[in-house]
Amino acid sequence: QVQLVESGGGSVQAGGSLTLSCAFSGEPYDTFCMGWFRQAPGKGREAVAGIDSDGMTSYASSVKGRFTITKDNAENTLNLQMSSLKPEDTAMYYCAADNELQCCSGDYCLELEYRSWDAGIQVTVSS
């Protein structure tokens, strides 16, 4: 059973930057596929970015060019670097993991029903 613990959320002004980290533990195959999701108040869950076992990445169009997902297998950490933040980026952000190989082929990592999730962390961007 993979465990995910997120950190790095908080408040920032529009145009600023923030980095989220997700520390993971468990069997390596449990985290072949990892992703970031978010949910704003009154809205559905939205895929933000994903990364797979080959290092392939996928991004939602709303964050492409502003957010960067990276995975450090030596440190067992998944990161999301967010820059040029906008008020509409305000949401609860979630880290997720699955054992699907090469999951970002065809952007599938943005659609996958992930097996493991963390509790989420709040990101607030003020105008």
Side-chain angles (χ1 to χ4, degrees), residues 98-118:
D98 198 89
N99 59 6
E100 188 84 14
L101 280 170
Q102 299 174 328
C103 63
C104 283
S105 177
D107 292 335
Y108 182 58
C109 51
L110 301 182
E111 303 168 13
L112 178 66
E113 289 293 327
Y114 285 79
R115 294 173 181 235
S116 303
W117 295 82
D118 80 319

Side-chain angles (χ1 to χ4, degrees), residues 1 3 6 28 40 45 54-55 62 65 82 95 98 100 114 120 127:
Q1 181 79 23
Q3 290 191 329
E6 199 173 342
R45 189 177 67 198
D54 288 344
S62 59
M82 305 182 291
C95 166
D98 198 89
E100 188 84 14
Y114 285 79
S127 57

Side-chain angles (χ1 to χ4, degrees), residues 4 12 15-16 20 39 45 47-48 50-51 53 57 75 80 82-85 95 99 114 123 127:
L4 305 169
V12 64
L20 302 181
Q39 187 166 16
R45 189 177 67 198
V48 174
I51 187 167
S53 51
T57 58
E75 296 292 328
L80 184 69
M82 305 182 291
S83 61
S84 301
L85 283 161
C95 166
N99 59 6
Y114 285 79
V123 171
S127 57

